[in-house]
Amino acid sequence: MSDDSQQYQPRMTTDAPPGLSVQDVSLSLQRFGHADYLVFSTMLLVCIGIGVYFGWKDHQKQKRRATSSVRRGSEALDYLVGNRRMKIFPVAMSLVASWISGIALMGAATETYLYGIHFGFIFTGIILMAFSMNFIFLPVFHSLQITSVYEYLEIRFDTRIRLLGSVLFTLATLSHLPIVVFVPALAFNQVSGINIHFITTIVCTVCIFYTSIGGIKAVVWTDVIQTIVMVGALILIVIKGTADIGGLSVLIERNVASGRIEPPNFSLDPTERTTIWAIFFGGGSFWVAKNAIHQMMIQRYLSLPTFRDAQKSLVVFTIGITFLMSICFYNGLLIYATFHDCDPLTTKLARAKDQLLPILVMQVFGDYPGLAGLFISGIFSASLSSLSTGLNSLAAIVLEDFVKPFTKNPLTERQTRYLMRGTVLVFGVIAVVLVLVVEKLGTVLQLSMSLVPISLGPLLGMFLMGMLLPWIDAKCAFAGACTGLTTMAYVVIRAQIAIASKEIVHPTKPVSTAGCTYHFDNVTTVYQDPMIHEEFDKSIHHVSFLFYTLIGVCSTAIPGLLYACCFGKQEVSQLNPLVVAPFLRSHFFPKKTANQNNLVHLYEKAETKLRWL
């Protein structure tokens, strides 16, 4: 397919019969019946039941603790990491559910519909993430037996860098959680017509309840249920939707013809949106940062007894997330194959891009009571998982990073219990409030979302400096982090300005409305010369968004290394060998490594015989 065909869209009209409008079609798709509400409500009640169950078990445990001598800190260990005795399979399912939010479920399908299958090669980045976690990050975190991932930064560097990491995580999480819930609310509104803010308030309240009273165990086991619902709903869409269009061959034929199914783009131009290099190196860096140093993910791995259990959980997570992402990308192809001759975005049947998948669901399942409710339950399950995981992680950050380091006397078990549950409640209410105003603060919200790419790369750079470059000291690491944050702030904000001014434009795949059977407002898309964007001088902010995390890593670690060379290096012999990646320990600490390995081996040997379930 030529570049011109991707840039040019002709005037779109339809010869639909009189009387049927896009509004009529939209109302006809809102067939969310009693059976659907029952399925959705059942999912919420199950979540509440799990929270009550683990809350009751925790209450019984508190009674026993009151009459026996228990080491201080057991309350926090139990609430945040399940006393480090969680099982492999539920933790792996929780990791999958925590990663796949409603944004990812609908966003991956929308990405494929608009831009084709190129982003589907992200599985190469997932493999990079798995290897880096297995050989660098998980061994270090499990050896140190920490609760907050940013505690590592203090052990390796100092308190100042730990606080910097914790503050960045807290702000990024608070700006992300409302969006996680708001996006699936759009899906619910599309199929039912119920007010977005009403349903988000109800769902968030349920999530706050079971997270606050049940802790990590309630979060993990609700994630298991939610993952089953989510995967089941997606598989049903794949099977029924593919059958409705005439089979897999029809799907492939239509998507190949439109250019959505195509081989990887091996271009070396970093400004192209989704080259294989951008996906592997840039996307891989993003996946490493979102999994290997993110409190929401690492907290799950640290709830397992041993490093070997964490490795097994990582394998299950990698397979599970690859399978689930593949389904999401397939659904994007299915959306186009279903609406190949009547684009819902052009006709305004879909008022937002993220409503494409709900429209497909109502097209496929609208006549089957309960199945649309199962899909909405799956979408909200993904969001509830991300929200509950975020709230539980924020409780860990507040306790471990913002309270414990600054208290003269250790907290009592009662104080710890109230602090963690109070943190979940307060941050949960903040998330609800932000959801309620998200539509009115759209521009501000977009700026807050920019905090994620601004902070993610420098954070990963700080951890990599700590684990791979032991001669970088705290001062040089802090200076490198400041350099990285400044660089990323410029790149991201400048890129957003360029996108708003049409300086950066990424062409979408062709669509058609030739087969529409209803009336809509005609749309004319002006032809854009493929060379028009060459008039702008290319700068660093023109690079693919996939490179943002990698740029953040390089602009943090490289200056940090240069500062160390200029202003003095860390005395490596003074470091704890456990803060360095395992494959470097024998080189930098030849005398200490044997003793450290023996201690870790004895610990794992004592704990290794556990069932997967």
Side-chain angles (χ1 to χ4, degrees), residues 41-363:
S41 300
T42 301
M43 185 270 294
L44 294 180
L45 290 174
V46 169
C47 293
I48 293 174
I50 292 174
V52 171
Y53 171 73
F54 284 107
W56 175 79
K57 290 189 67 175
D58 180 68
H59 179 68
Q60 298 300 314
K61 186 179 295 184
Q62 295 304 321
K63 283 185 176 181
R64 293 193 296 271
R65 285 176 178 169
T67 59
S68 61
S69 58
V70 180
R71 66 184 179 92
R72 188 180 294 274
S74 57
E75 170 68 27
L77 279 175
D78 193 53
Y79 189 83
L80 298 176
V81 291
N83 213 23
R84 303 193 194 278
R85 293 184 178 276
M86 298 296 290
K87 309 298 183 181
I88 295 171
F89 183 76
V91 167
M93 291 298 98
S94 178
L95 288 166
V96 172
S98 298
W99 176 262
I100 295 289
S101 65
I103 299 174
L105 283 180
M106 294 190 288
T110 301
E111 164 74 22
T112 306
Y113 181 83
L114 294 176
Y115 299 103
I117 201 63
H118 271 163
F119 194 74
F121 295 102
I122 193 61
F123 72 85
T124 59
I126 296 175
I127 294 173
L128 177 63
M129 174 273 298
F131 274 93
S132 64
M133 288 192 68
N134 184 69
F135 293 106
I136 301 176
F137 297 97
L138 283 183
V140 172
F141 293 142
H142 254 278
S143 297
L144 294 173
Q145 290 291 288
I146 56 180
T147 300
S148 165
V149 68
Y150 304 107
E151 187 178 347
Y152 167 84
L153 295 177
E154 181 176 11
I155 298 173
R156 172 62 177 86
F157 297 116
D158 59 20
T159 304
R160 177 179 49 181
I161 296 184
R162 175 181 182 175
L163 285 177
L164 175 62
S166 301
V167 169
L168 289 175
F169 168 79
T170 301
L171 294 177
T173 302
L174 279 179
S175 64
H176 178 66
L177 291 183
I179 309 164
V180 164
V181 180
F182 179 74
V183 171
L186 288 175
F188 196 94
N189 172 260
Q190 178 70 38
V191 301
S192 68
I194 291 182
N195 182 271
I196 290 175
H197 302 312
F198 173 77
I199 190 60
T200 52
T201 302
I202 297 297
V203 171
C204 285
T205 301
V206 171
C207 183
I208 293 169
F209 175 77
Y210 75 73
T211 304
S212 62
I213 68 171
I216 185 68
K217 294 177 182 176
V219 171
V220 167
W221 282 105
T222 52
D223 284 352
V224 172
I225 302 299
Q226 290 160 359
T227 301
I228 293 173
V229 173
M230 177 172 55
V231 173
L234 291 175
I235 291 177
L236 284 176
I237 295 172
V238 167
I239 296 173
K240 181 63 167 58
T242 303
D244 286 350
I245 63 172
L248 182 61
S249 60
V250 175
L251 180 140
I252 295 175
E253 178 184 352
R254 291 175 180 175
N255 281 280
V256 168
S258 69
R260 284 171 171 79
I261 295 181
E262 53 188 339
N265 180 2
F266 288 95
S267 171
L268 297 178
D269 184 357
T271 64
E272 292 195 23
R273 190 173 182 272
T274 50
T275 67
I276 191 65
W277 316 115
I279 291 171
F280 178 71
F281 293 108
S285 299
F286 175 81
W287 273 75
V288 171
K290 287 289 286 184
N291 285 273
I293 63 165
H294 204 277
Q295 180 68 24
M296 290 172 60
M297 304 298 287
I298 291 298
Q299 193 170 332
R300 301 295 173 274
Y301 290 107
L302 296 177
S303 68
L304 293 163
T306 69
F307 171 58
R308 293 185 184 278
D309 291 331
Q311 286 180 307
K312 294 175 183 178
S313 188
L314 175 62
V315 171
V316 177
F317 166 72
T318 302
I319 295 173
I321 203 69
T322 302
F323 172 73
L324 199 53
M325 289 296 291
S326 299
I327 294 178
C328 294
F329 290 126
Y330 181 91
N331 280 333
L333 299 176
L334 183 58
I335 293 172
Y336 177 75
T338 303
F339 301 106
H340 69 286
D341 58 355
C342 189
D343 174 42
L345 291 174
T346 302
T347 65
K348 303 301 180 184
L349 181 62
R351 295 185 295 274
K353 295 176 182 177
D354 289 321
Q355 290 184 328
L356 286 170
L357 186 57
I359 288 178
L360 173 68
V361 170
M362 296 312 297
Q363 177 89 358

Side-chain angles (χ1 to χ4, degrees), residues 318-482:
T318 302
I319 295 173
I321 203 69
T322 302
F323 172 73
L324 199 53
M325 289 296 291
S326 299
I327 294 178
C328 294
F329 290 126
Y330 181 91
N331 280 333
L333 299 176
L334 183 58
I335 293 172
Y336 177 75
T338 303
F339 301 106
H340 69 286
D341 58 355
C342 189
D343 174 42
L345 291 174
T346 302
T347 65
K348 303 301 180 184
L349 181 62
R351 295 185 295 274
K353 295 176 182 177
D354 289 321
Q355 290 184 328
L356 286 170
L357 186 57
I359 288 178
L360 173 68
V361 170
M362 296 312 297
Q363 177 89 358
V364 173
F365 290 147
D367 296 328
Y368 296 87
L371 291 185
L374 181 64
F375 164 75
I376 293 299
S377 298
I379 295 294
F380 264 108
S381 291
S383 296
L384 281 175
S385 173
S386 298
L387 179 60
S388 62
T389 303
L391 294 176
N392 189 257
S393 299
L394 287 171
I397 292 297
V398 169
L399 176 66
E400 299 292 336
D401 297 340
F402 297 147
V403 176
K404 281 186 175 181
F406 303 101
T407 54
K408 295 182 179 179
N409 300 318
L411 297 176
T412 65
E413 295 295 285
R414 181 184 294 272
Q415 289 173 330
T416 300
R417 181 165 60 252
Y418 288 149
L419 174 64
M420 292 185 298
R421 287 163 174 79
T423 299
V424 170
L425 177 61
V426 170
F427 282 127
V429 170
I430 292 174
V432 172
V433 172
L434 290 177
V435 169
L436 293 174
V437 299
V438 67
E439 288 180 322
K440 297 181 180 179
L441 296 180
T443 302
V444 176
L445 193 61
Q446 289 176 14
L447 291 177
S448 70
M449 290 177 65
S450 298
L451 182 64
V452 175
I454 289 174
S455 62
L456 203 59
L459 273 175
L460 179 57
M462 287 191 287
F463 279 92
L464 289 176
M465 283 191 292
M467 297 180 185
L468 301 181
L469 305 172
W471 50 82
I472 297 181
D473 62 11
K475 292 181 180 180
C476 296
F478 186 79
C482 292

